[in-house]
Amino acid sequence: MFAGMLMGALGWDPSHNIPENIQQSLNEAKRSLEIANYRSSVAMSRRTLEAVLKFGYERLLKKKPINAKGKGLMLNDLIQAFRNQKPSPIPEHLLHLADSLRVIGNVPGAHAVDIANYHFSRSDAEFALYATLHFLDQYFAKIDTEVTQYYTVSIDMSPVE
């Protein structure tokens, strides 16, 4: 927490690197946690992770995240695709984190399958959100460091003659 405050004071904020569609899902996960809608928070955290892996798939692997039939890759497929790269552009410990978030968000969150007497707890939602935040921080600060160049707008302020 102190490191985040220090970086903010120094003007570095990794959230400026996050594409808008990913940021929207992350914001919804945060809002859902704040109002104790834990299932939605977990599902939106999982959605955020899937979106960043699709973003990374195109940027790091230089391919569209689709299968041989032209359908979009699912979260498990994205994780496995990165895991199968040698060397993987995403470290194995982050892929394990992504996989744990995939599992906690699968049922009864992202998929319409009920588990009798199962209810998401605050700790489930907090784990999912904090795991997602850590993954995003690592991705945009250490893995895909050129993304700021990708989203930077330059304005020529030189006088016109």
Side-chain angles (χ1 to χ4, degrees), residues 8 22 45 59 81 106 118 120 127-128 140 147:
I22 297 171
S45 292
R59 290 189 45 83
N106 267 357
Y118 186 85
F120 280 106
F127 167 78
F140 289 106
V147 79

Side-chain angles (χ1 to χ4, degrees), residues 36-47:
N37 191 344
Y38 304 133
R39 180 189 313 227
S40 294
S41 182
V42 170
M44 292 310 294
S45 292
R46 185 185 186 283
R47 176 187 171 107

Side-chain angles (χ1 to χ4, degrees), residues 32-142:
S32 295
L33 177 61
E34 289 171 3
I35 62 169
N37 191 344
Y38 304 133
R39 180 189 313 227
S40 294
S41 182
V42 170
M44 292 310 294
S45 292
R46 185 185 186 283
R47 176 187 171 107
T48 302
L49 177 69
E50 185 171 344
V52 78
L53 285 175
K54 285 181 178 182
F55 178 80
Y57 194 93
E58 290 194 53
R59 290 189 45 83
L60 303 173
L61 302 183
K62 310 287 188 228
K63 299 186 261 184
K64 292 279 186 200
I66 56 174
N67 64 18
K69 295 180 181 179
K71 289 190 175 189
L73 296 178
M74 302 301 282
L75 182 54
N76 186 54
D77 299 325
L78 293 163
I79 294 168
Q80 293 309 318
F82 280 109
R83 198 169 263 147
N84 292 337
Q85 292 294 306
K86 301 297 179 208
S88 176
I90 298 178
E92 187 65 25
H93 70 280
L94 289 177
L95 294 175
H96 285 305
L97 183 67
D99 209 28
S100 66
L101 185 53
R102 177 189 67 82
V103 170
I104 196 171
N106 267 357
V107 179
H111 301 290
V113 176
D114 289 325
I115 297 175
N117 300 317
Y118 186 85
H119 302 284
F120 280 106
S121 68
R122 179 171 188 83
S123 61
D124 292 331
E126 287 175 342
F127 167 78
L129 181 59
Y130 297 141
T132 302
L133 288 168
H134 179 70
F135 192 95
L136 288 171
D137 176 62
Q138 295 297 295
Y139 180 85
F140 289 106
K142 296 182 180 178

Side-chain angles (χ1 to χ4, degrees), residues 23-33 40-41 44:
Q23 187 66 52
Q24 288 174 352
S25 293
L26 180 61
N27 290 343
E28 192 169 333
K30 290 176 184 178
R31 284 191 304 274
S32 295
L33 177 61
S40 294
S41 182
M44 292 310 294

Side-chain angles (χ1 to χ4, degrees), residues 12-24:
W12 181 82
D13 181 0
S15 69
H16 294 298
N17 298 339
I18 301 173
E20 185 61 27
N21 67 317
I22 297 171
Q23 187 66 52
Q24 288 174 352

